[in-house]
Amino acid sequence: MGHLLAVKERHSVTDAMFEPLKQTIELLKTYEQHLPEEVYKQLEELPEKWNNIKKLAIAVKQHVAPLQANEMTLLRKSCAAFDVQQHKFRERFWKEAPFRFDTEKPYKLLDAKHIEIKQMESAMTSIYESAGLFEVMVPDYKQLKQCRKELCLLKELWDMISLVNTSLDDWQTTKWVDINVENMNLECKKFAREIRNLDKEMRAWDAFTGLDSKVKNMLTALKAVAELQNPAIRERHWNQLMQMTGVRFVMDSDTTLADLLKLNLHNFEDEVRGIVDKAVREMSMEKVLKELKMTWSTMEFQYEPHPRTNIPLLKSDEELIETLEDNQVQLQNLMTSKYIAFFLEEVSAWQRKLSTADSVISLWFEVQHTWSHLESIFIGSEDIRAQLPEDSKRFEGIDVDFKGLAYEAQKTPNVVEATNKPGLSQELEDIQNRLSLCEKALAEYLDMKRLAFPRFYFISSADLLDILSNGTNPQLVQRHLSKLFDNLAKMKFQLDSEQKATKVGLGMYSKEEEYVSFSEPCDCSGQVEVWLNHVLDSMKATVRDEMTEAVMAYEEKPREQWLFDYPAQVALSCTQIWWTTEVGIAFARVEEGYENAMKEYHKKQVTQLNTLVTMLIGQLSKGDRQKIMTICTIDVHARDVVAKMIAQKVDNAQAFIWLSQLRHRWSDEERHCFANICDAQFLYSYEYLGNTPRLVITPLTDRCYITLTQSLHLTMSGAPAGPAGTGKTETTKDLGRALGIMVYVFNCSEQMDYKVLLPPRPQCRHVGLGMLGAQ
């Protein structure tokens, strides 16, 4: 039964093999394609032949089975032996293959190992073939395959090492001056990228780490080389670098990159950076000092001739002073640097030179200024030479010494050379000390003159000296009169038979060209402080006499005619005096029972004011127009005060609304004008005020007047406060004009000190009301 099944199976297999052929032949027949007879014959015989061959194969297999078993045993032994051999080879490969970076002739070793591996791979291939024939399981032999893989990686690694070494060796022969660090740096970074892209298995090998370190060290060294290429590096810095690294070499144009790399710069990155930083800072200092030398080698003094003596005077040069200050600051900054050591001596020397130059220039200008100021006084003014003979003699000695210094300085135009001459500073200090004695003597002389004529305290020393120098010539002193008097601009002098002006003053002119004749001729001969006192007395006496006459003549003719007979100041003051008198009369009549007395007077005021307004519309000279306008301004206030008293039904002269007004009155017994306000009384000072306008009097003005006059009455000061431009100064000046007082206005500045503001002037109280206005 089993045999039958086997036969059936074989037949089915045979049919399966040859059935496609039969079907193909049948298909061809369908298309009338007939094959040779032989084909049909072979198709019938082939199944039987195939079965016979298979039977033969089974028989042969049974015959060779013992032999095959023997061969398989031998093959397994060979596999085991080869496995041991590959492990030993693996150990030897690790020891002998070029894994170390310092391996000599790596390619020779790689070739030898390649041959060994190739032989072993041939044996392994043979074993694999035999094992395939005898169907024997063979080990994978991973050790040998790993060796082959590592050999390929080593070849790739050593190709990279060779490429890097070749490039680096080429660079190392490059001369120092021709090194292009930027290109080398880019190439090194490219190498570093390629090394990073190598198989990660290599990274544990010494050859890989050696290559990686070499490229990284080269990159670090190239950074240091780039820094060392800085033009700031000097020979002293190379010496410092050699001392730091312990390697000596000659640094010149033939020095190569290899010489620099011997310094192992990658180990001294911070030190190199420190040296280069120091060199750069020192180079900047060197540049500053070089510029300093260049600047001061060309910096020269400029001179201008003195107007009187033509000696060369040092010309003020802002550029020189500015450069000197800037360079001193630069040197001071250099001294604070921690890199100053090498330049310390040079910087210190320049500091001394420029400091000396600064002090000498400053001293020279002071001496020159003082000399120029005093030269015209002690040499040019005979009057002062006569008054101060000893000091004039002292100044003559100073004059000789200073002129000698000036001529000597002109021979050395360079600033530093000229100012650093030995002993120059001491000579200038000596001249300055002697000049101070002359100045002191002159100041005492001027103070003596100021005591004699206190208004001299309110003009500058230069103006006073000019006045004193021309003191015996009133014509030349005239230009200073406006500084000494409120509005006395010039004087009229008597003429002699040759029509030349004498020293007898006949009258005075204001700035507005108003002329007022003196009551009596004024003698302007003698010393200036004496005849100026005569002018002051004549001015006051004239104003007082004019007021005396005007007050008396007020009622003799209509006011609009009367006011043309007298100067503007006198007309205005007398108008104010008569306003006070007439209001007093009105109050007296009110007390007597005449209730409408004040109203009638108010009508009279309006009429008088209308008359003045009508006159203003008509033809008037400039001076007369100003006079009438000023009287109108005061009349309007007077009218408003009376109107206010009427509105408040004031019937008593002791009412505050009346007492708080500034009221002028004339004393017949004393022949003086007085100004009363509240409980304060002031004697009119009779300063000639000319024909100037007056401020409109507002309620604020009234309050300021009350405060300031109470302060003056109590011999105290007043301090009007408020924003700029609101009229503090002008209100004070207007009060001064109302009292006939000379008012001095000082705009406070740095030049104003206690010496100017508080000079020793015991005789100065009558001079006037001082207003210190901070503008």
Side-chain angles (χ1 to χ4, degrees):
M1 188 68 178
H3 178 69
L4 283 171
L5 286 170
V7 169
K8 278 183 182 179
E9 187 179 342
R10 284 201 298 275
H11 277 293
S12 65
V13 169
T14 304
D15 290 343
M17 285 181 66
F18 297 105
E19 189 62 35
L21 289 172
K22 288 179 181 179
Q23 289 174 356
T24 304
I25 290 167
E26 289 299 323
L27 181 64
L28 289 170
K29 277 184 183 181
T30 307
Y31 290 99
E32 297 180 354
Q33 295 293 323
H34 297 283
L35 295 172
E37 192 65 33
E38 190 180 345
V39 173
Y40 295 105
K41 189 177 178 181
Q42 285 178 350
L43 190 61
E44 289 177 2
E45 292 174 357
L46 275 173
E48 190 62 33
K49 284 181 180 180
W50 172 248
N51 289 333
N52 290 336
I53 286 170
K54 285 200 286 187
K55 288 175 185 176
L56 180 64
I58 292 166
V60 171
K61 188 174 181 182
Q62 288 172 352
H63 178 71
V64 298
L67 295 172
Q68 189 176 358
N70 188 39
E71 282 296 324
M72 286 174 72
T73 305
L74 291 172
L75 186 58
R76 285 190 180 99
K77 286 182 181 177
S78 295
C79 286
F82 189 80
D83 193 37
V84 172
Q85 186 184 351
Q86 70 145 1
H87 275 91
K88 287 181 179 178
F89 178 76
R90 174 69 176 160
E91 289 175 11
R92 198 155 37 82
F93 182 83
W94 260 104
K95 289 178 183 176
E96 295 174 2
F99 285 103
R100 293 190 60 77
F101 186 67
D102 57 358
T103 304
E104 294 181 6
K105 299 179 180 178
Y107 285 104
K108 191 175 180 181
L109 287 172
L110 289 172
D111 288 344
K113 290 301 169 190
H114 171 66
I115 293 167
E116 287 184 46
I117 290 173
K118 196 171 182 183
Q119 288 171 351
M120 289 188 72
E121 283 175 339
S122 296
M124 185 179 72
T125 303
S126 177
I127 289 171
Y128 275 138
E129 287 174 357
S130 298
L133 286 171
F134 293 102
E135 297 178 355
V136 174
M137 291 295 292
V138 181
D140 202 13
Y141 301 125
K142 289 182 180 178
Q143 303 296 322
L144 182 62
K145 289 179 180 177
Q146 184 66 23
C147 286
R148 166 58 72 188
K149 182 183 178 185
E150 287 178 354
L151 187 71
C152 293
L153 291 176
L154 277 170
K155 171 68 168 61
E156 186 182 354
L157 178 59
W158 278 101
D159 285 347
M160 176 58 71
I161 291 171
S162 177
L163 176 62
V164 169
N165 284 340
T166 304
S167 296
L168 266 55
D169 290 343
D170 286 345
W171 294 350
Q172 291 190 19
T173 59
T174 310
K175 287 188 178 180
W176 158 251
V177 291
D178 299 328
I179 293 174
N180 188 330
V181 175
E182 189 176 349
N183 289 345
M184 291 181 183
N185 203 35
L186 290 171
E187 196 70 23
C188 270
K189 285 180 178 175
K190 181 185 171 188
F191 288 151
R193 282 196 302 274
E194 290 175 359
I195 290 167
R196 280 198 303 274
N197 292 332
L198 290 173
D199 197 298
K200 291 183 179 178
E201 201 171 323
M202 299 181 194
R203 297 189 178 183
W205 302 345
D206 181 69
F208 179 89
T209 55
L211 173 64
D212 193 43
S213 296
K214 186 167 187 176
V215 172
K216 285 179 178 174
N217 290 345
M218 178 56 84
L219 277 168
T220 306
L222 284 173
K223 283 181 189 174
V225 169
E227 289 182 331
L228 290 171
Q229 279 186 324
N230 196 304
I233 300 290
R234 300 284 183 269
E235 188 178 347
R236 62 181 181 275
H237 302 120
W238 288 115
N239 292 333
Q240 289 172 19
L241 192 61
M242 291 179 203
Q243 188 177 355
M244 190 183 296
T245 57
V247 178
R248 306 295 301 176
F249 71 96
V250 177
M251 187 66 209
D252 55 26
S253 58
D254 294 327
T255 304
T256 62
L257 179 62
D259 295 322
L260 287 179
L261 295 179
K262 286 177 190 173
L263 297 169
N264 292 323
L265 296 174
H266 57 275
N267 294 330
F268 301 98
E269 190 177 358
D270 291 339
E271 289 82 351
V272 168
R273 192 176 292 113
I275 287 174
V276 172
D277 187 42
K278 181 181 179 183
V280 170
R281 298 298 179 85
E282 287 183 353
M283 187 185 184
S284 68
M285 291 184 190
E286 197 176 320
K287 186 182 176 185
V288 169
L289 290 169
K290 189 176 178 182
E291 288 175 356
L292 212 65
K293 287 177 189 171
M294 184 66 70
T295 300
W296 292 103
S297 65
T298 57
M299 193 68 77
E300 295 185 350
F301 280 130
Q302 300 295 319
Y303 293 93
E304 57 185 353
H306 184 251
R308 242 170 53 80
T309 60
N310 280 327
I311 73 159
L313 294 181
L314 202 59
K315 198 174 180 179
S316 180
D317 188 345
E318 287 184 17
E319 185 185 350
L320 167 64
I321 302 302
E322 192 176 331
T323 306
L324 184 59
E325 288 175 356
D326 290 346
N327 288 168
Q328 283 183 297
V329 171
Q330 276 184 312
L331 289 170
Q332 188 58 43
N333 291 338
L334 290 184
M335 286 299 283
T336 59
S337 172
K338 63 179 180 180
Y339 303 104
I340 188 63
F342 184 77
F343 299 103
L344 181 60
E345 191 175 336
E346 190 176 358
V347 171
S348 299
W350 271 109
Q351 269 195 317
R352 286 193 298 274
K353 285 179 186 176
L354 295 190
S355 177
T356 302
D358 190 14
S359 61
V360 166
I361 289 171
S362 176
L363 193 57
W364 190 288
F365 274 119
E366 284 180 25
V367 168
Q368 181 176 285
H369 176 73
T370 310
W371 174 84
S372 300
H373 171 60
L374 296 179
E375 194 273 343
S376 60
I377 298 165
F378 284 105
I379 303 295
S381 173
E382 289 298 327
D383 180 48
I384 290 175
R385 285 173 66 83
Q387 296 286 335
L388 304 170
E390 287 184 19
D391 294 289
S392 297
K393 193 173 182 181
R394 181 187 290 118
F395 187 81
E396 285 171 5
I398 294 169
D399 191 53
V400 171
D401 292 346
F402 180 72
K403 285 177 180 175
L405 281 181
Y407 286 121
E408 189 64 32
Q410 196 179 26
K411 293 176 186 175
T412 315
N414 184 271
V415 172
V416 174
E417 289 177 24
T419 53
N420 280 267
K421 286 181 180 177
L424 177 60
S425 184
Q426 289 78 7
E427 284 185 65
L428 285 170
E429 283 177 6
D430 177 57
I431 291 174
Q432 189 183 37
N433 292 334
R434 287 151 65 196
L435 282 170
S436 296
L437 294 175
C438 293
E439 276 191 307
K440 186 180 178 184
L442 183 63
E444 289 172 357
Y445 170 68
L446 294 183
D447 273 346
M448 191 172 69
K449 297 293 181 181
R450 285 177 174 131
L451 285 169
F453 186 66
R455 293 195 180 199
F456 282 156
Y457 280 113
F458 298 99
I459 60 171
S460 68
S461 296
D463 285 338
L464 177 53
L465 284 167
D466 189 54
I467 291 169
L468 295 174
S469 300
N470 302 301
T472 54
N473 189 342
Q475 300 293 333
L476 295 176
V477 176
Q478 270 198 115
R479 64 175 178 269
H480 296 286
L481 290 178
S482 60
K483 299 169 191 173
L484 296 169
F485 300 93
D486 189 285
N487 207 349
L488 197 162
K490 59 181 179 177
M491 292 170 60
K492 181 179 180 181
F493 292 96
Q494 187 175 331
L495 302 175
D496 59 13
S497 56
E498 296 177 4
Q499 296 300 305
K500 289 183 180 179
T502 61
K503 294 183 181 181
V504 177
L506 298 178
M508 53 189 172
Y509 289 94
S510 72
K511 292 170 188 172
E512 305 82 29
E513 298 295 326
E514 181 184 59
Y515 176 70
V516 179
S517 295
F518 288 142
S519 303
E520 293 179 7
C522 176
D523 181 13
C524 295
S525 60
Q527 292 185 324
V528 67
E529 66 274 18
V530 174
W531 68 257
L532 279 174
N533 270 315
H534 292 164
V535 171
L536 179 61
D537 293 339
S538 294
M539 175 192 76
K540 291 190 172 187
T542 300
V543 174
R544 185 182 174 191
D545 289 345
E546 288 282 339
M547 284 178 72
T548 305
E549 186 181 332
V551 168
M552 299 303 176
Y554 183 78
E555 291 185 306
E556 291 177 3
K557 61 172 79 170
R559 191 176 73 151
E560 60 272 15
Q561 296 174 16
W562 163 86
L563 58 84
F564 288 110
D565 297 339
Y566 303 97
Q569 175 187 357
V570 173
L572 179 63
S573 299
C574 291
T575 298
Q576 290 176 295
I577 290 168
W578 272 99
W579 171 65
T580 307
T581 304
E582 289 180 333
V583 170
I585 292 167
F587 273 127
R589 291 181 68 193
V590 168
E591 286 178 6
E592 290 171 2
Y594 190 67
E595 294 178 2
N596 292 327
M598 194 65 73
K599 288 180 182 177
E600 287 180 5
Y601 176 59
H602 182 256
K603 287 177 185 176
K604 180 182 177 183
Q605 280 185 301
V606 172
T607 305
Q608 286 181 330
L609 196 53
N610 288 336
T611 305
L612 293 182
V613 171
T614 305
M615 290 172 69
L616 285 173
I617 296 169
Q619 294 294 320
L620 290 171
S621 67
K622 184 180 177 182
D624 287 341
R625 183 173 297 279
Q626 182 59 63
K627 182 195 291 188
I628 294 169
M629 282 171 64
T630 307
I631 294 172
C632 273
T633 303
I634 300 302
D635 270 6
V636 167
H637 177 65
R639 180 202 65 190
D640 292 346
V641 169
V642 172
K644 195 173 181 182
M645 288 194 295
I646 292 167
Q648 294 183 12
K649 298 180 179 178
V650 174
D651 58 0
N652 187 349
Q654 298 303 309
F656 182 74
I657 191 172
W658 174 242
L659 291 179
S660 62
Q661 299 302 315
L662 187 64
R663 310 179 311 280
H664 291 74
R665 67 180 182 83
W666 183 260
S667 170
D668 290 322
E669 297 83 13
E670 300 175 53
R671 289 184 68 251
H672 269 305
C673 176
F674 291 92
N676 293 78
I677 181 168
C678 298
D679 60 346
Q681 177 172 289
F682 302 95
L683 177 64
Y684 192 83
S685 287
Y686 306 107
E687 181 74 25
Y688 176 58
L689 306 174
N691 188 6
T692 53
R694 295 284 292 275
L695 293 183
V696 173
I697 300 170
T698 66
L700 180 59
T701 313
D702 282 333
R703 293 174 71 179
C704 289
Y705 279 9
I706 293 167
T707 308
L708 288 172
T709 50
Q710 285 297 306
S711 178
L712 278 175
H713 175 59
L714 299 170
T715 61
M716 295 172 70
S717 301
T726 50
K728 302 182 295 297
T729 304
E730 288 304 318
T731 299
T732 309
K733 285 167 68 178
D734 209 54
L735 176 59
R737 290 194 186 100
L739 299 176
I741 295 175
M742 174 75 184
V743 178
Y744 290 97
V745 179
F746 295 93
N747 287 325
C748 296
S749 64
E750 290 176 8
Q751 285 74 34
M752 294 288 288
D753 58 13
Y754 72 95
K755 292 177 185 175
V756 175
L757 292 172
L758 299 170
R761 47 180 187 273
Q763 298 178 20
C764 193
R765 292 197 177 193
H766 70 282
V767 170
L769 171 69
M771 162 62 185
L772 301 180
Q775 299 295 326

